[in-house]
Amino acid sequence: MLYAAISLFIIFLDQLTKFYAIKMLKGNEPIIIIRNFLQLNYVENFGAAFGILQNKKVFFVIMTLVVIIGIVVYMKTNTNLTFSMKLALAMVIGGAVGNLIDRIRLGYVVDFVDVNFWGIYDFPVFNLADSFIVIGTIILMYLVIFNKYEN
């Protein structure tokens, strides 16, 4: 139940920030937070990470549902998972559902966090759901590599 609450909180936070991104940024100039590094910039992403596979909405919806169902089944059938493993999986689920809501409701994912490493590298624009998916995945990789995912 705790992990469902964590996923729901991530979904809520993601959708709330996207609501404000649409309201404050869409059709407006980016808001600079740290010059030449961080700004809030509204982008409609019709693809996946880094803008790949543009306009493949049905594919992304199906794949996201398969991944979410797979994670839930995995969590239900493996009762000896560590707290860290369950937390990481809850983060991935929350982020995946946050972006899934956008794809179904809008036909694209709202991105707004724009990081540019002082002109050296302009990182693709992302959102909080993406952040939780990446952080959760990094934690998962660590836990699996070092065999720390089960009690």
Side-chain angles (χ1 to χ4, degrees), residues 27-74:
N28 295 317
E29 291 293 316
I31 297 172
I32 297 171
I33 307 297
I34 301 172
R35 184 165 305 286
N36 297 320
F37 179 68
L38 177 64
Q39 65 181 6
L40 303 178
N41 183 21
Y42 179 82
V43 173
E44 296 174 355
N45 185 353
F46 291 87
F50 307 105
I52 62 170
L53 298 171
Q54 291 289 310
N55 300 309
K56 304 290 185 199
K57 177 184 168 183
V58 173
F59 171 77
F60 288 124
V61 168
I62 292 169
M63 289 308 299
T64 302
L65 289 171
V66 167
V67 168
I68 292 167
I69 291 166
I71 291 172
V72 170
V73 168
Y74 177 75

Side-chain angles (χ1 to χ4, degrees), residues 118-134:
W118 301 280
I120 297 168
Y121 180 69
D122 188 10
F123 197 80
V125 182
F126 61 96
N127 59 47
L128 289 186
D130 298 334
S131 298
F132 280 107
I133 292 168
V134 169

Side-chain angles (χ1 to χ4, degrees), residues 14-23 25-26 41-47 98-103 105-113 125-130:
D14 173 65
Q15 290 298 301
L16 182 66
T17 57
K18 289 173 180 175
F19 170 80
Y20 281 108
I22 292 168
K23 184 174 179 165
L25 299 171
K26 187 173 183 177
N41 183 21
Y42 179 82
V43 173
E44 296 174 355
N45 185 353
F46 291 87
N99 283 340
L100 179 64
I101 290 169
D102 283 11
R103 286 190 201 288
R105 187 172 66 90
L106 304 171
Y108 54 86
V109 174
V110 173
D111 289 332
F112 59 92
V113 181
V125 182
F126 61 96
N127 59 47
L128 289 186
D130 298 334

